[in-house]
């Protein structure tokens, strides 16, 4: 179904920028940037090779951020790869190259960040620099011409290839972006002139700088939104900050003046995300369970290695038979899964456990719905099919950390597991400590502080036993309620 209305809502306040893409008033994508957790994708660093790992075909590069970046051999090879990491030469040539042939420990190297650090993994770097403009991307290290895959009209693709060939600086590469559809030669030439000057400036800074140090920082989120997302298929760009509203008008006047009337300043005395019903939807992003309109639901479990999604019928009982109920639930789940992957920015390996279908035609229908729903997503995905265990395997390009990582911090009590120690486990730990105290002559009076509900229950269950032991060993041990103590901990005061 075609999307009729696309809007970008931008909230700038308290040092944080949030931008939401609405499609027919439904939240489709969310972007956030604050003082902490800023993306470094696109930044260019003069790095220092810390060590080279021939067995992994990679090197660790110190970029001065506190965590080394990871540089694969294919990202260090000259003139073989384009912006998407696709081979420009034969794939089997890679095995003929060794990382040690190109990088040595202590060597300085100019790298760009292709993927943010996620969880315990460092950022992924590449030596194939790309500089994005409004309509095109300059690839100063590769002689190449490419057209965005999202431009599907073949005659337009051919026209843009001809324009790119004319605008392309000698010995460099150009990729026409999705926003370049329908652009003129002058638009591309203007982009390339600016980006070529930027590349010269980067090279000059690189020559004068000692590693590790940042050489070039990509635009902040707000300006990337205006540059990359605010294209002719966006109906409105609505901003709640007067200063940034003026900046957006200024920038768009230079790059796409025809879009200027679509920029609006939000002056109402409301929180902009509340006004457009975005805040409530954001809160649901941190929930593992997502309900479907039919009454079924999906459960999303994210781990460092992969994401697992389980589909359940839930409250949905159907109106015909079990086969029909399962098919309808799975089809609705497939659409919702594609939506959630895009909204939460989940990447990497994804395993989906749809409800078992006995009809292979139904399996094909569900897979087709999933693939079609994923076409709205600008991050590339690949549905690999159904395994022997009946699980759907797929991948989605991972560039930045998932939105749930930005919106949540690891719990200091459960250490990120999502669970705390059970009552029985805590009781056993308290009993163990009491046993140690009873046979330690250094202590006569000891207080054990525990969460009120635990202290009360422990005293009700074991007070007589503890009193008898205290009399026997001449000790004074008390379990005292303390609301400041976490539910799965206790403190001993001797």
């Amino acid at each position: 179904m075609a999307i009729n209305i696309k809007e970008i809502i931008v909230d700038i306040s308290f040092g944080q920028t949030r931008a939401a893409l609405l499609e027919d008033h439904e939240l489709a994508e969310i972007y956030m940037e604050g003082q902490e957790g800023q993306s470094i994708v696109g930044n260019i660093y003069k790095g220092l090779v810390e060590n080279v790992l021939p067995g992994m075909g990679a090197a660790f590069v110190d970029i001065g951020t506190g965590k080394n970046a990871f540089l694969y051999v294919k990202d260090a090879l000259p003139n073989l790869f384009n912006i998407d990491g696709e081979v420009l030469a034969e794939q089997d040539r890679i095995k003929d190259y060794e990382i040690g042939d190109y990088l040595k420990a202590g060597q300085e190297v100019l790298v760009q960040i292709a993927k943010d650090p996620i969880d315990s993994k460092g950022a992924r770097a590449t030596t194939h620099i790309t500089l994005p403009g409004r309509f095109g991307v300059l690839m100063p290290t590769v002689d190449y011409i490419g057209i965005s895959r999202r431009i599907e009209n073949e005659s337009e693709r051919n026209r843009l290839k001809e324009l790119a060939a004319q605008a392309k600086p000698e010995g460099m590469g150009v990729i026409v972006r999705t926003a370049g559809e329908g652009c003129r030669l002058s638009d591309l030439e203007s982009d390339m002139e600016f980006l070529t000057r930027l590349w010269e400036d980067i090279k000059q800074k690189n020559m004068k700088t000692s590693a590790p140090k940042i050489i070039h920082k990509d635009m902040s989120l707000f300006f990337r939104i205006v540059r990359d997302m605010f294209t002719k298929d966006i109906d409105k760009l609505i901003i709640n900050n007067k200063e940034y509203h003026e900046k957006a008008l200024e920038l768009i006047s230079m790059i796409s003046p025809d879009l200027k009337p679509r920029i609006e300043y939000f002056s109402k005395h409301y929180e902009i995300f509340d006004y457009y019903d975005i805040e409530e939807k954001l809160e649901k992003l941190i929930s593992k369970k997502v309900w479907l309109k039919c009454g079924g639901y999906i459960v999303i479990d994210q781990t460092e290695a992969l994401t697992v999604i389980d589909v359940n019928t839930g409250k949905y009982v159907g109106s015909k038979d079990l086969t029909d109920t399962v098919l309808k639930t799975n089809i609705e789940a497939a659409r919702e899964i594609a939506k959630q992957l895009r909204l939460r920015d989940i990447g990497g390996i994804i395993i989906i456990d749809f409800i078992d279908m006995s009809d292979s035609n139904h399996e094909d229908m569900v897979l087709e719905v999933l693939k079609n729903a994923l076409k709205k997503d600008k991050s590339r995905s690949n549905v690999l099919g159904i395994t022997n265990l009946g699980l759907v395997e797929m991948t989605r390009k991972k560039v930045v950390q998932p939105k749930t990582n930005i919106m949540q911090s690891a719990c200091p009590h459960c250490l990120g597991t999502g669970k705390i120690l059970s009552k029985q486990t805590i009781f056993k730990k308290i009993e163990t400590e009491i046993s140690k105290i009873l046979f330690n002559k250094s202590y006569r009076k000891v207080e054990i502080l525990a969460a009120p509900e635990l202290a009360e229950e422990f005293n009700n269950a074991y007070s007589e036993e503890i009193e008898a032991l205290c009399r026997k060993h001449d000790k004074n041990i008390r379990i005292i309620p303390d609301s400041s103590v976490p539910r799965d901990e206790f403190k001993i005061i001797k």
Side-chain angles (χ1 to χ4, degrees), residues 429-486:
K429 284 179 172 286
I430 292 175
E431 289 174 27
T432 301
E433 289 301 321
I434 290 174
S435 296
K436 292 177 182 177
I437 293 166
L438 290 172
F439 292 98
N440 190 325
K441 296 180 181 179
S442 303
Y443 307 109
R444 282 200 68 253
K445 182 179 180 180
V446 176
E447 294 179 346
I448 299 176
L449 310 182
E453 65 271 24
L454 285 180
E456 182 179 352
E457 190 168 343
F458 190 90
N459 283 328
N460 289 339
Y462 302 106
S463 59
E464 292 182 3
E465 184 179 348
I466 291 173
E467 287 175 8
L469 288 170
C470 285
R471 286 194 298 270
K472 179 179 178 180
H473 294 275
D474 192 23
K475 301 285 185 183
N476 182 2
I477 301 173
R478 293 194 302 152
I479 313 298
I480 299 175
D482 189 327
S483 57
S484 68
V485 179

Side-chain angles (χ1 to χ4, degrees), residues 223-321:
F223 292 106
R224 293 200 307 271
I225 292 292
V226 177
R227 180 191 68 189
D228 301 341
M229 290 182 61
F230 186 43
T231 55
K232 61 185 179 182
D233 63 336
I234 300 294
D235 296 282
K236 288 182 182 179
L237 172 63
I238 305 170
I239 308 163
N240 70 340
N241 183 291
K242 188 67 175 175
E243 178 186 353
Y244 280 86
H245 172 256
E246 295 296 332
K247 289 180 178 180
L249 289 172
E250 184 180 340
L251 179 58
I252 213 68
S253 295
M254 293 187 290
I255 58 178
S256 293
D258 53 318
L259 297 181
K260 195 173 177 181
R262 304 187 191 185
I263 300 176
E264 294 183 8
Y265 171 59
F266 182 83
S267 58
K268 296 179 175 63
H269 297 293
Y270 296 98
E271 289 293 328
I272 189 170
F273 270 28
D274 282 333
Y275 184 83
Y276 287 96
D277 296 324
I278 298 169
E279 204 69 61
E280 182 181 350
K281 294 168 185 173
L282 275 183
E283 292 175 3
K284 294 179 180 178
L285 281 188
I286 61 178
S287 174
K288 293 171 63 174
K289 181 182 285 188
V290 180
W291 286 97
L292 306 174
K293 291 179 181 178
C294 69
Y297 63 90
I298 62 175
V299 177
I300 304 171
D301 274 310
Q302 291 177 248
T303 70
E304 190 170 338
L306 51 80
T307 297
V308 179
I309 302 175
D310 187 35
V311 182
N312 299 277
T313 52
K315 304 172 186 175
Y316 183 51
V317 294
S319 56
K320 292 184 180 179
D321 53 32

Side-chain angles (χ1 to χ4, degrees), residues 168-200:
K168 185 177 79 70
E170 188 176 351
M172 299 185 185
V174 173
I175 291 181
V176 179
R177 309 187 71 174
T178 306
E181 186 171 9
C183 75
R184 300 162 298 179
L185 176 60
S186 59
D187 295 324
L188 269 182
E189 286 178 333
S190 178
D191 260 6
M192 292 306 110
E193 287 173 11
F194 169 75
L195 296 173
T196 303
R197 289 196 302 271
L198 176 60
W199 174 238
E200 289 300 321

Side-chain angles (χ1 to χ4, degrees), residues 54-112:
M56 296 180 66
F60 283 109
V61 181
D62 180 4
I63 57 174
T65 59
K67 183 181 286 188
N68 289 344
F70 203 62
L71 179 61
Y72 286 102
V73 63
K74 72 174 186 177
D75 294 318
L77 292 175
N79 303 325
L80 286 181
F81 296 85
N82 69 14
I83 190 172
D84 294 317
E86 293 180 337
V87 185
L88 300 180
E90 292 297 325
Q91 178 72 34
D92 58 10
R93 288 182 59 190
I94 299 173
K95 66 178 183 290
D96 298 330
Y97 295 90
E98 297 287 342
I99 188 72
D101 294 337
Y102 292 90
L103 297 173
K104 306 292 181 185
Q107 179 181 340
E108 293 184 334
V109 58
L110 190 68
V111 296
Q112 186 172 40

